[in-house]
């Protein structure tokens, strides 16, 4: 009996009978499959980090920009900041499809059993770190004396 396990590649119809040519020799892949899985996980975590950082940066910048652009008061500030943030969120969603960029969404995926616990913990850690970096970047963009005095006068 052959001790090697065989598995069907993704995308084949499970109801269709398997042919020998359709099977992938998992053991023959050896370390190469492990390297690819590690690379994919690292890329996924990097995207979560970048998406979280960008999300927080954009939301802070949009809120501060709305306040700077407004001459009418809090309603206009809120509207301008919200529209800028909404547009940026759509752009982030299109640029990084499949990421959550939000620890709460990752936690909900974990509760719904859509993501393994180890993956969820890794994602949450990089999302929080990315969000902190995004907060620093968002505030750093408005650190000049001109912006600071304008924000304080509102």
């Amino acid at each position: 009996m052959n001790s090697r396990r065989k598995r069907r590649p993704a995308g084949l119809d499970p109801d269709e009978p398997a042919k020998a040519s359709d099977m992938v020799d998992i053991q023959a892949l050896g370390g190469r499959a492990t390297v690819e899985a590690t690379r994919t996980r690292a890329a996924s975590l990097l995207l979560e980090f970048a998406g979280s950082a960008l999300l927080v940066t954009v939301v802070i910048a949009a809120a501060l920009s709305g306040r700077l652009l407004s001459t009418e008061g809090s309603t206009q500030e809120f509207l301008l900041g919200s529209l800028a943030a909404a547009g940026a969120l759509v752009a982030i969603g299109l640029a990084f499809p499949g990421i959550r960029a939000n620890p709460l969404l990752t936690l909900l995926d974990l509760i719904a059993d859509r993501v393994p616990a180890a993956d969820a913990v890794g994602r949450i850690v990089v999302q929080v770190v990315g969000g902190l970096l995004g907060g620093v970047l968002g505030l750093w963009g408005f650190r000049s004396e001109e912006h600071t005095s304008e924000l304080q006068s509102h």
Side-chain angles (χ1 to χ4, degrees):
M1 181 173 174
N2 188 352
S3 65
R4 291 184 174 206
R5 296 179 306 161
K6 301 246 180 187
R7 149 182 96 104
R8 284 180 165 219
L12 292 178
D13 183 6
D15 296 329
E16 185 180 306
K19 297 178 269 181
S21 62
D22 291 341
M23 303 305 277
V24 174
D25 190 342
I26 294 173
Q27 202 171 26
L29 292 174
R32 191 174 61 200
T34 304
V35 169
E36 289 301 319
T38 302
R39 221 180 265 157
T40 302
R41 185 162 192 267
S44 174
L45 291 175
L46 182 61
L47 285 175
E48 290 286 351
F49 174 82
S52 298
L54 189 58
L55 173 69
V56 173
T57 300
V58 164
V59 169
I60 288 175
L64 293 175
S65 295
R67 181 156 183 162
L68 290 173
L69 295 173
S70 172
T71 57
E72 297 296 318
S74 63
T75 304
Q76 189 178 10
E77 289 172 18
F78 177 75
L79 182 60
L80 288 170
S82 297
L83 288 174
L89 292 176
V90 169
I92 291 169
L94 293 172
F96 301 107
I99 68 164
R100 295 291 181 239
N102 183 333
L104 178 60
L105 296 176
T106 302
L107 184 61
L108 292 174
D109 278 347
L110 177 64
I111 291 168
D113 205 25
R114 287 185 289 232
V115 63
D119 284 348
V121 169
R123 287 180 186 183
I124 289 171
V125 167
V126 297
Q127 289 165 348
V128 169
V129 173
L132 290 172
L133 176 66
V136 169
L137 291 175
L139 292 173
W140 181 66
F142 287 89
R143 75 187 190 321
S144 72
E145 291 295 321
E146 179 184 324
H147 291 300
T148 305
S149 63
E150 285 182 43
L151 287 172
Q152 290 173 349
S153 68
H154 280 288

